[in-house]
Amino acid sequence: METLKVGVIGTGAIGQDHIARITNKLVGAKVVAVSDISGDSAKKAAKLCGARVEKDGGAIVGAGDVDALLVCSWGGAHAESVLQAIAAGKPVFCEKPLAATAQDCKKIVDAEVAGGKHLVQVGFMRRYDAGYLQMKQLIDSGEMGEPLLVHCAHRNAGVAENYNTPMAVNDTAIHEIDILQWLINDEYVSAQVITGKGTKHARPNLKDPQMMILRTKGGIVIDIEVFVNCKYGYDIQCEVCCEEGVIRMPEPSFPVLRKDQKVSVHIEQDWKQRFANAYDVEIQQWIESTIKGEVKGPTAWDGYIAAVTSDALVKSQETGAVEPIITGGKPSFYK
Ligand code: NAI
Ligand code: ISE
């Protein structure tokens, strides 16, 4: 297999995680150049993989030996790099969110469509998680009947100081937003956020927990609990109530321990461990499809849909009302 030469923009937590998996675990690619607005972070990451440091994202995109881009900077910086990659005709894997606003996501969609070539994949890794894939197979087989209700929980042990109320949507629930419409083969039409008593563990800039309600075109009602100071670990729950029965996502597999008068099962501490296999499969498949000149994963259109849905939820955080979700028609390019 030919080797895909990758340039990484943003070498923080997930940037380093992806660099490590490409370098030590996956096949078919190597990281040749990295950049980060923090020079120290870029140097550290470059050392991990034997790559060189470039001065900024634009230099990475323009480098002659970079075949494809991995964008792992902060959400607000994604659009600039993705648009540069499209202009250069280079494939780009962009971590979620595709961009900070639906408007910027639409610019990316329009640029990709105008270029006439599929180049953009968004980092919605749950589509590669074994548990969600098993659930999807059951739903698509029809044996459980029509999905009627979905209950989800997205719990983080804790979050950084700068994490605020809208981030519960843009940074966290955006994973549910993407995975659920894919899982139940439907489209969202409205969104609402309900908040009540908050935990004493949240900082003043964050309402935590939050309950998010989405309704679909087909009438399915979805509730998502986002609780990012749950303290006890990283816990992702999903249950789909169907006409013939209920599908619950399997828990990560750990031995059940009986010790000190207690029965216990380990719970992962964060996303790095909980979705490690999903990230591996996601990036390996991205490498393989990029070498073939294809995009097989979540597209820029999926990134745009997630952003429009996020905007409606964030608006509801402010208004408390049920907000409509209006996306416009899917371009035939993405069908
Ligand atoms: P982080 O804060 O650890 O790292 C982000 C890095 O980007 C920092 O080193 C920062 O200096 C750098 N940066 C910011 N603007 C830049 C620019 N214009 N050019 C180059 N570097 C720039 O954040 P983290 O957790 O690594 O998140 C990065 C992205 O990945 C976010 O969009 C986040 O939502 C996403 N993410 C996705 C996850 C998933 O489960 N798929 C998990 C964690 C993060
Ligand atoms: C983080 O950015 C992620 O994407 C994680 O998957 C999510 O669980 C966490 O809440 C986000 O902050």
Side-chain angles (χ1 to χ4, degrees), residues 96 125 154 156 163 171-172 175 234 271:
K96 45 65 60 173
M125 78 299 181
H154 189 150
N156 290 198
Y163 188 106
D171 197 51
T172 296
H175 285 294
Y234 188 77
W271 46 267

PDB file of all heavy atoms in Angstrom, residues 96 125 154 156 163 171-172 175 234 271, ligand 2:
ATOM      1  N   LYS A  96     -14.634  17.244  14.933  1.00  0.00           N
ATOM      2  CA  LYS A  96     -15.873  17.969  15.187  1.00  0.00           C
ATOM      3  C   LYS A  96     -15.580  19.177  16.054  1.00  0.00           C
ATOM      4  O   LYS A  96     -14.615  19.130  16.838  1.00  0.00           O
ATOM      5  CB  LYS A  96     -16.953  17.079  15.823  1.00  0.00           C
ATOM      6  CG  LYS A  96     -16.535  16.179  16.954  1.00  0.00           C
ATOM      7  CD  LYS A  96     -16.049  16.701  18.255  1.00  0.00           C
ATOM      8  CE  LYS A  96     -16.839  17.567  19.131  1.00  0.00           C
ATOM      9  NZ  LYS A  96     -16.195  17.829  20.461  1.00  0.00           N
ATOM     10  N   MET A 125     -16.724  10.118  15.331  1.00  0.00           N
ATOM     11  CA  MET A 125     -16.167   8.764  15.424  1.00  0.00           C
ATOM     12  C   MET A 125     -17.151   7.724  15.928  1.00  0.00           C
ATOM     13  O   MET A 125     -16.927   6.527  15.795  1.00  0.00           O
ATOM     14  CB  MET A 125     -14.917   8.778  16.320  1.00  0.00           C
ATOM     15  CG  MET A 125     -15.166   8.820  17.799  1.00  0.00           C
ATOM     16  SD  MET A 125     -16.075  10.307  18.299  1.00  0.00           S
ATOM     17  CE  MET A 125     -16.188  10.083  20.049  1.00  0.00           C
ATOM     18  N   HIS A 154     -24.974  11.714  28.124  1.00  0.00           N
ATOM     19  CA  HIS A 154     -23.580  12.002  27.774  1.00  0.00           C
ATOM     20  C   HIS A 154     -22.978  12.642  29.015  1.00  0.00           C
ATOM     21  O   HIS A 154     -23.235  13.803  29.306  1.00  0.00           O
ATOM     22  CB  HIS A 154     -23.549  12.956  26.571  1.00  0.00           C
ATOM     23  CG  HIS A 154     -22.191  13.166  25.986  1.00  0.00           C
ATOM     24  ND1 HIS A 154     -21.996  13.440  24.652  1.00  0.00           N
ATOM     25  CD2 HIS A 154     -20.945  13.161  26.536  1.00  0.00           C
ATOM     26  CE1 HIS A 154     -20.707  13.578  24.394  1.00  0.00           C
ATOM     27  NE2 HIS A 154     -20.048  13.429  25.530  1.00  0.00           N
ATOM     28  N   ASN A 156     -19.607  13.503  31.350  1.00  0.00           N
ATOM     29  CA  ASN A 156     -18.151  13.641  31.504  1.00  0.00           C
ATOM     30  C   ASN A 156     -17.873  13.790  33.004  1.00  0.00           C
ATOM     31  O   ASN A 156     -18.662  14.428  33.725  1.00  0.00           O
ATOM     32  CB  ASN A 156     -17.624  14.895  30.806  1.00  0.00           C
ATOM     33  CG  ASN A 156     -17.675  14.841  29.276  1.00  0.00           C
ATOM     34  OD1 ASN A 156     -17.010  15.603  28.604  1.00  0.00           O
ATOM     35  ND2 ASN A 156     -18.462  13.952  28.712  1.00  0.00           N
ATOM     36  N   TYR A 163     -15.060  25.861  29.673  1.00  0.00           N
ATOM     37  CA  TYR A 163     -16.243  25.164  29.132  1.00  0.00           C
ATOM     38  C   TYR A 163     -17.504  25.880  29.644  1.00  0.00           C
ATOM     39  O   TYR A 163     -17.715  26.018  30.846  1.00  0.00           O
ATOM     40  CB  TYR A 163     -16.213  23.709  29.594  1.00  0.00           C
ATOM     41  CG  TYR A 163     -17.258  22.813  28.982  1.00  0.00           C
ATOM     42  CD1 TYR A 163     -16.921  21.872  28.006  1.00  0.00           C
ATOM     43  CD2 TYR A 163     -18.598  22.869  29.397  1.00  0.00           C
ATOM     44  CE1 TYR A 163     -17.877  21.022  27.456  1.00  0.00           C
ATOM     45  CE2 TYR A 163     -19.552  22.034  28.850  1.00  0.00           C
ATOM     46  CZ  TYR A 163     -19.187  21.107  27.883  1.00  0.00           C
ATOM     47  OH  TYR A 163     -20.135  20.272  27.342  1.00  0.00           O
ATOM     48  N   ASP A 171     -19.939  21.257  21.772  1.00  0.00           N
ATOM     49  CA  ASP A 171     -18.744  20.462  22.002  1.00  0.00           C
ATOM     50  C   ASP A 171     -19.107  19.031  22.416  1.00  0.00           C
ATOM     51  O   ASP A 171     -18.371  18.101  22.123  1.00  0.00           O
ATOM     52  CB  ASP A 171     -17.937  21.142  23.118  1.00  0.00           C
ATOM     53  CG  ASP A 171     -16.512  20.654  23.159  1.00  0.00           C
ATOM     54  OD1 ASP A 171     -15.865  20.656  22.106  1.00  0.00           O
ATOM     55  OD2 ASP A 171     -16.049  20.254  24.246  1.00  0.00           O
ATOM     56  N   THR A 172     -20.254  18.892  23.091  1.00  0.00           N
ATOM     57  CA  THR A 172     -20.564  17.605  23.716  1.00  0.00           C
ATOM     58  C   THR A 172     -21.743  16.914  23.034  1.00  0.00           C
ATOM     59  O   THR A 172     -21.576  15.871  22.392  1.00  0.00           O
ATOM     60  CB  THR A 172     -20.796  17.841  25.233  1.00  0.00           C
ATOM     61  OG1 THR A 172     -19.568  18.317  25.793  1.00  0.00           O
ATOM     62  CG2 THR A 172     -21.229  16.586  25.951  1.00  0.00           C
ATOM     63  N   HIS A 175     -22.084  15.111  19.382  1.00  0.00           N
ATOM     64  CA  HIS A 175     -21.885  13.690  19.047  1.00  0.00           C
ATOM     65  C   HIS A 175     -23.235  12.973  18.949  1.00  0.00           C
ATOM     66  O   HIS A 175     -23.452  12.181  18.030  1.00  0.00           O
ATOM     67  CB  HIS A 175     -21.028  13.004  20.111  1.00  0.00           C
ATOM     68  CG  HIS A 175     -19.570  13.352  20.029  1.00  0.00           C
ATOM     69  ND1 HIS A 175     -18.774  12.992  18.976  1.00  0.00           N
ATOM     70  CD2 HIS A 175     -18.772  14.037  20.877  1.00  0.00           C
ATOM     71  CE1 HIS A 175     -17.536  13.421  19.173  1.00  0.00           C
ATOM     72  NE2 HIS A 175     -17.501  14.069  20.325  1.00  0.00           N
ATOM     73  N   TYR A 234     -16.622   8.695  32.661  1.00  0.00           N
ATOM     74  CA  TYR A 234     -17.131   9.045  31.333  1.00  0.00           C
ATOM     75  C   TYR A 234     -18.160   7.999  30.967  1.00  0.00           C
ATOM     76  O   TYR A 234     -17.837   6.819  30.845  1.00  0.00           O
ATOM     77  CB  TYR A 234     -15.968   9.031  30.333  1.00  0.00           C
ATOM     78  CG  TYR A 234     -16.329   9.559  28.965  1.00  0.00           C
ATOM     79  CD1 TYR A 234     -16.455  10.929  28.734  1.00  0.00           C
ATOM     80  CD2 TYR A 234     -16.544   8.699  27.895  1.00  0.00           C
ATOM     81  CE1 TYR A 234     -16.778  11.426  27.482  1.00  0.00           C
ATOM     82  CE2 TYR A 234     -16.864   9.188  26.637  1.00  0.00           C
ATOM     83  CZ  TYR A 234     -16.979  10.551  26.444  1.00  0.00           C
ATOM     84  OH  TYR A 234     -17.301  11.046  25.207  1.00  0.00           O
ATOM     85  N   TRP A 271     -13.064  10.290  27.013  1.00  0.00           N
ATOM     86  CA  TRP A 271     -13.333   9.874  25.645  1.00  0.00           C
ATOM     87  C   TRP A 271     -12.175   9.125  25.000  1.00  0.00           C
ATOM     88  O   TRP A 271     -12.380   8.249  24.172  1.00  0.00           O
ATOM     89  CB  TRP A 271     -13.739  11.086  24.796  1.00  0.00           C
ATOM     90  CG  TRP A 271     -12.867  12.292  24.979  1.00  0.00           C
ATOM     91  CD1 TRP A 271     -13.081  13.319  25.858  1.00  0.00           C
ATOM     92  CD2 TRP A 271     -11.631  12.604  24.314  1.00  0.00           C
ATOM     93  NE1 TRP A 271     -12.063  14.252  25.773  1.00  0.00           N
ATOM     94  CE2 TRP A 271     -11.167  13.838  24.828  1.00  0.00           C
ATOM     95  CE3 TRP A 271     -10.882  11.968  23.328  1.00  0.00           C
ATOM     96  CZ2 TRP A 271      -9.986  14.441  24.400  1.00  0.00           C
ATOM     97  CZ3 TRP A 271      -9.696  12.568  22.904  1.00  0.00           C
ATOM     98  CH2 TRP A 271      -9.264  13.785  23.439  1.00  0.00           C
TER      99      TRP A 271
HETATM  100  C1  ISE B   2     -14.927  16.591  23.764  1.00  0.00           C
HETATM  101  O1  ISE B   2     -14.536  17.654  22.905  1.00  0.00           O
HETATM  102  C2  ISE B   2     -15.396  15.435  22.949  1.00  0.00           C
HETATM  103  O2  ISE B   2     -15.583  15.489  21.777  1.00  0.00           O
HETATM  104  C3  ISE B   2     -15.812  14.287  23.766  1.00  0.00           C
HETATM  105  O3  ISE B   2     -16.133  13.174  22.957  1.00  0.00           O
HETATM  106  C4  ISE B   2     -17.006  14.727  24.596  1.00  0.00           C
HETATM  107  O4  ISE B   2     -17.442  13.660  25.409  1.00  0.00           O
HETATM  108  C5  ISE B   2     -16.642  15.894  25.466  1.00  0.00           C
HETATM  109  O5  ISE B   2     -17.783  16.333  26.178  1.00  0.00           O
HETATM  110  C6  ISE B   2     -16.118  17.038  24.617  1.00  0.00           C
HETATM  111  O6  ISE B   2     -15.707  18.096  25.472  1.00  0.00           O
END
